[in-house]
Amino acid sequence: MFKTDKERALVALQGRVQRLREKPTVPINAPKGESQSNGATENAVQRFEGQFRAMRLYLEGRMGARIPLQHPVIHWMVEAVAELH
């Protein structure tokens, strides 16, 4: 399942994920004006961002350098955090 709040960019991402995945992806879009139905999604996004930030800051601290967003390890971190959730 891939839940969104009908934001145009997210719906486009949802469609792309659906096309690229080998297994079925069920799109679930919150009804317009139903902010309560987005609560779990918003919470998941906050947890994801926090975990990603923690992982990036830890690695940068160990390296003693900033990691640019274009660096390949950022892609790995996003996948790793997604797997954690």
Side-chain angles (χ1 to χ4, degrees):
M1 287 188 262
F2 189 140
K3 295 175 89 172
T4 72
D5 61 358
K6 288 192 177 179
E7 186 177 325
R8 200 174 347 158
L10 290 176
V11 171
L13 175 62
Q14 187 182 54
R16 186 162 184 211
V17 167
Q18 242 182 323
R19 287 188 301 276
L20 295 175
R21 284 198 65 207
E22 293 176 12
K23 294 187 179 184
T25 300
V26 179
I28 299 175
N29 297 313
K32 200 168 197 158
E34 290 290 324
S35 60
Q36 284 185 337
S37 64
N38 295 333
T41 304
E42 296 289 337
N43 190 299
V45 168
Q46 288 177 352
R47 286 192 326 264
F48 180 91
E49 288 174 344
Q51 184 67 44
F52 175 81
R53 191 177 308 112
M55 188 180 288
R56 182 177 179 192
L57 289 172
Y58 175 79
L59 183 56
E60 288 176 343
R62 294 287 304 226
M63 291 173 45
R66 294 270 301 150
I67 302 170
L69 288 176
Q70 298 80 15
H71 194 282
V73 78
I74 296 293
H75 177 77
W76 174 85
M77 278 189 212
V78 169
E79 289 184 4
V81 171
E83 285 294 321
L84 290 172
H85 287 276

